Amino acid sequence: MNFRGIEICCPSCRGDLRELVSAFQCQACARSYPVDGGIPDLRVFPDPYIKPDADRYKGLALAAKFGEMNFEGLIDYYYSITAAVPAHHARQYKRGLMAGLARAQAAVAGWPAGEALLDVGCGTAPLLVAAAPKFKTLVGVDISFRWLTVGRKRLLEAGLDVPLICACAEALPFPGPAFDRVAGESVVETLEDQSRAMRECCRVLRPGGRIFLSTPNRFSLGPDPHIGVWMGGWLPESWIAEMARRQGAVPPKRRLLSPRSLGKLLRRAGFHAVRTTLPDIPEAQRAQFGSATRRLIDLYRTLRALPVTSTALRWIGPLLHCEAEKGY
């Protein structure tokens, strides 16, 4: 089935889909998938943080605010109706979301132009906006319907009409190789089955296509990406879960990766020429932090630029960028 210029299929059996009223149905296994607000829900399992009905309710509530709120306003509104996220975490997450476009622009700056990009775990779509000038076709996939709704607002404000699909990275709804680049920004650490998801990314890439991943470094000495505690990746996950509960938050569901484990994951999925680097921190992202954190960012930049310290920093820096290639 052709969905807005891209061929999609049943994520369960890869059978052909047909369009019904407000739904798609697989002609092979007869499974039905709802379509809300122009976003098909092709998930084979739900977002681990929220039940499907609640996810749909919040997504539709956000869509109802499109006419009266901008992108930033929608983020504030979402956290106002989400009691599971404490206020200080909401501020931390919003800071990351607002800096997302600058971070994505820095990431894609060196990419060559291509035909088709798939953004897996696209969230609020900053990478899709940043990469739009480089690709003729863009598609965003995320397991969260509510965040796709917020992402649609970001895309509309950027003047972009990009197809968004609610789906699992472990069961991508594409019948075969359709993309020359797959990207996943801060998503691989959250996946239920990282190995299966990376094999799926490899499957939908054309021969010679490339994957780009950004992910928090497990051995970072900096603040934990989910609860803010320093050196969180060094601590047992049971400790992190208990700290989150004491802060009034839901314990994060994740598996943080190191440079070595990230490379091993990609090679086992069928990729080669794996290259892991340390990204710069864009000024627009730096500006979101207080003076103490900005000084630490400046120190990171200095150490990153020095050959003697950049190699060591790769093992303890806050974020990893990784690229790899699918063979012919």
Side-chain angles (χ1 to χ4, degrees):
M1 174 183 177
N2 189 289
F3 173 67
R4 299 183 57 190
I6 187 74
E7 196 68 24
I8 63 172
C9 66
C10 173
S12 298
C13 72
R14 297 185 196 159
D16 293 335
L17 296 173
R18 62 177 176 175
E19 188 170 1
L20 304 177
V21 177
S22 300
F24 295 154
Q25 186 179 57
C26 178
Q27 299 185 59
C29 68
R31 182 166 178 169
S32 291
Y33 302 94
V35 179
D36 287 306
I39 300 175
D41 186 348
L42 300 177
R43 292 176 288 188
V44 297
F45 55 81
D47 183 328
Y49 287 101
I50 190 171
K51 293 182 179 179
D53 287 347
D55 187 25
R56 180 178 180 274
Y57 168 80
K58 287 189 175 182
L60 294 177
L62 288 160
K65 297 290 184 180
F66 268 31
E68 56 188 275
M69 293 182 179
N70 60 11
F71 173 73
E72 183 176 359
L74 280 183
I75 294 172
D76 290 333
Y77 176 66
Y78 171 73
Y79 285 121
S80 76
I81 62 173
T82 305
V85 180
H88 66 288
H89 281 185
R91 290 191 294 271
Q92 174 189 337
Y93 299 157
K94 178 185 174 181
R95 185 167 60 237
L97 292 170
M98 295 305 297
L101 181 56
R103 191 169 58 245
Q105 287 171 333
V108 307
W111 292 6
E115 288 291 324
L117 166 71
L118 173 64
D119 187 0
V120 176
C122 66
T124 63
L127 193 138
L128 290 171
V129 174
K134 292 177 176 283
F135 293 88
K136 296 179 182 178
T137 300
L138 303 104
V139 182
V141 164
D142 199 281
I143 197 172
S144 167
F145 177 71
R146 62 200 185 281
W147 286 120
L148 284 174
T149 305
V150 180
R152 188 155 66 93
K153 182 65 174 182
R154 191 201 289 266
L155 290 164
L156 288 172
E157 289 184 354
L160 296 172
D161 183 19
V162 175
L164 300 176
I165 301 172
C166 202
C168 304
E170 295 86 343
L172 294 172
F174 309 105
F179 305 95
D180 51 324
R181 184 170 286 262
V182 170
E185 187 185 26
S186 296
V187 66
V188 65
E189 70 276 8
T190 70
L191 297 174
E192 181 172 303
D193 189 332
Q194 294 173 336
S195 296
R196 182 180 172 189
M198 292 303 100
R199 289 196 300 269
E200 278 290 275
C201 289
C202 191
R203 180 182 67 82
V204 302
L205 267 174
R206 294 167 181 153
R210 298 189 66 80
I211 188 171
F212 165 83
L213 299 173
S214 72
T215 186
N217 184 2
R218 177 188 171 188
F219 296 126
S220 170
L221 301 182
D224 184 273
H226 298 105
I227 66 169
V229 62
W230 287 79
M231 297 178 63
W234 293 76
L235 302 176
E237 285 302 314
S238 59
W239 293 20
I240 294 295
E242 181 59 27
M243 290 178 185
R245 282 190 285 267
R246 290 185 178 184
Q247 294 176 1
V250 176
K253 298 174 174 64
R254 73 205 189 165
R255 180 188 162 207
L256 297 177
L257 297 165
S258 67
R260 179 172 296 170
S261 59
L262 179 58
K264 185 181 295 185
L265 175 70
L266 287 169
R267 283 187 286 271
R268 286 179 175 174
F271 291 100
H272 68 95
V274 180
R275 180 170 176 264
T276 304
T277 59
L278 287 170
D280 190 12
I281 299 177
E283 187 57 36
Q285 183 179 3
R286 177 183 176 276
Q288 298 282 333
F289 294 96
S291 58
T293 304
R294 288 200 299 270
R295 286 194 291 271
L296 287 174
I297 290 172
D298 292 339
L299 176 61
Y300 167 80
R301 285 173 164 175
T302 300
L303 296 176
R304 176 179 173 270
L306 298 173
V308 175
T309 53
S310 62
T311 300
L313 188 62
R314 188 168 71 95
W315 296 98
I316 58 173
L319 190 69
L320 303 172
H321 278 186
C322 188
E323 289 208 38
E325 184 177 326
K326 177 179 178 177
Y328 286 90

